[in-house]
Amino acid sequence: MKKIIALLLAVVMVAALFAGCQNGQEEETTPSDTSETTGSEETTPNETTGEEETEPADDGEIVELTWYAVGSGQPANYDAWKAVVDEYLEEKIGVHLDMKIVGWGDWSQRRSVIVSTNEHYDIIFTDMGTYRNDINLGAFADLSNIQEDYPELWAAMPERYWDGVKVNGTIYGVPAYKDTSMTNFFVWDTDVAEQYYPDYQNAHELPDLTEGLAAIYENTNQYVIGLNKDGISAIVGNKYDNLGTGLGAIGISYTSGENKIVATLEQEDVMTDLRTVHEWYEAGYVNADAPTLDNAPEYKTLSIAQGWPYAAIENWGPALGTSPYTGEDVNAIAVQWEDSVLSNDTIQGSMACISASSQHKDKALELLQLVNTDTTLRDMLYYGLPGENFEYVDVNGEQRVHKLNNDWSMAGYTQGKTLIVTPLDTSEFNYFIEEIEPQNNNAISSPALGFSFDTTNVASQIAACAAIYDNYKPTLLTGAMDPDELVPQIMTELRDAGFDEIVAEAQAQFDAWLAGQN
């Protein structure tokens, strides 16, 4: 009887907590309503489906799951947040959640210690930089049973996204289905662009911009595009998948259909863009100190960013501060640069992996299924504590989130499916569904999607070539040197360091993988 009373009290408390949510939340449109690709069933914040209804163990034990994640540190109100989340999760799937948030600056070292020493955890944030190596160490559990045993989690994203996290045909991570494809944008100070380059919204490739940059420069006598020493890396990334090597000089084209691994810097489409940026640098359209700067200038009339269009209003524009030309806060607009692309790297940018040593792998998968299908839980991970960090409001009959502060320190986009997050009240439309999901659905898949390059035999060559490439990036990708002179020099050094051996090894493995797909 005591257990029954306790359970009833828990239900009443959760109901009271979320009473402020509008009825519109129960009628919320989910990705499955607008896209046949996801295959998800409709899920509302107050509903459970399938595995979400799994009862706790017969003995009534509540399992505590430990999840290491990233952000700007443990939230100040973590204990209050945990109490609410634990109550919700206990009712749903019989678990409590211990979130350990590590700051970005400390993450790399902390993650390495956790994995290498087999420190206790159930779930951990992972990305492409360490994923395969950690798998080789035996750190992560085989999750290939997801499709059969956790069908709602499987259906939460298109199947090709699951292909992108496979290593040797095995799934070891649950990708965070967000802006998982890569889409780059030209981000304009709208007031300046409309005055001097009114056709800016029709420019979708670098050479298209030259006329506009010239017009703005002639009228302002100031550089237009502000870069740091990383330059414009998407010159290569937009066009070629580097197969997880981290080496921009090698790749396979997203669009050529040739299934050939090439030296990207020797391809005409890349050289065209490199020559264009060099022309800009010589003309003064790029800041002259770009090759030496760690951080780009705060204000720039034109910048390049990866994301989705509304991010220009929500983040990119405000980050530019005050326009020196208008004296007002920058009004920014994003214009897409080339196509959205999808590769193992873009998918593996954010994943949740389960420890091979976890004693509660099934419960961890139940939790990840709920995170990726339940809006109420997803919002609490993304925005924080209801009533303290955010509240639900009505915008034209649809539920939105109003942020009460900016104190929430978990990196919400890394945790799970962003498309089920309730959008902010600053937008009249659901940019998760109307912008991010179409980008993902329309993205061009790499021909190597699902192929995992085992770099063991050429690891030293890759390390040497990466050091050479990184040394030249500041001058190459900012336009500071003529690529027709610089690229041959770079390629000579790369080939002396074993570049062609890398290409040959990658091509042989890729050909064998392709043969196995037929």
Side-chain angles (χ1 to χ4, degrees), residues 124-147:
I124 192 167
F125 165 76
T126 306
D127 63 21
M128 68 282 192
T130 57
Y131 184 51
R132 179 159 190 140
N133 183 65
D134 289 346
I135 291 169
N136 290 340
L137 292 174
F140 299 146
D142 180 343
L143 306 182
S144 299
N145 64 326
I146 287 176
Q147 185 173 9

Side-chain angles (χ1 to χ4, degrees), residues 179-187 203-209 231-243 247-256 264-265 267 269-271 273-274 277 280 303-307 335-343 345-346 439 442-447 469 477:
D179 54 324
T180 314
S181 59
M182 182 176 73
T183 311
N184 282 290
F185 291 88
F186 301 134
V187 184
H204 299 283
E205 297 185 5
L206 292 186
D208 298 340
L209 300 175
I232 307 177
S233 59
I235 286 175
V236 177
N238 269 2
K239 301 173 178 68
Y240 292 87
D241 173 5
N242 71 22
L243 307 175
L247 177 60
I250 187 174
I252 186 168
S253 172
Y254 285 100
T255 58
S256 72
T264 59
L265 302 184
Q267 307 309 304
D269 52 358
V270 171
M271 284 299 295
D273 281 355
L274 291 175
V277 177
W280 296 353
S303 55
I304 293 174
Q306 179 188 333
V335 179
Q336 186 166 334
W337 172 20
E338 298 184 340
D339 295 311
S340 302
V341 294
L342 185 72
S343 69
D345 272 7
T346 69
Q439 286 179 187
N442 296 326
I444 298 173
S445 293
S446 166
Y469 182 76
L477 298 180

Side-chain angles (χ1 to χ4, degrees), residues 271-322:
M271 284 299 295
T272 295
D273 281 355
L274 291 175
R275 291 179 184 122
T276 297
V277 177
H278 177 58
E279 177 186 342
W280 296 353
Y281 188 89
E282 290 286 287
Y285 310 158
V286 177
N287 52 307
D289 57 354
T292 63
L293 290 181
D294 290 324
N295 299 304
E298 180 176 0
Y299 173 81
K300 43 264 185 190
T301 302
L302 172 64
S303 55
I304 293 174
Q306 179 188 333
W308 58 94
Y310 190 73
I313 298 172
E314 184 179 359
N315 297 313
W316 300 333
L320 295 176
T322 302

Side-chain angles (χ1 to χ4, degrees), residues 412-427:
Y413 67 91
T414 67
Q415 301 156 347
K417 186 173 182 177
T418 301
L419 303 185
I420 63 169
V421 173
T422 303
L424 294 172
D425 59 348
T426 52
S427 172

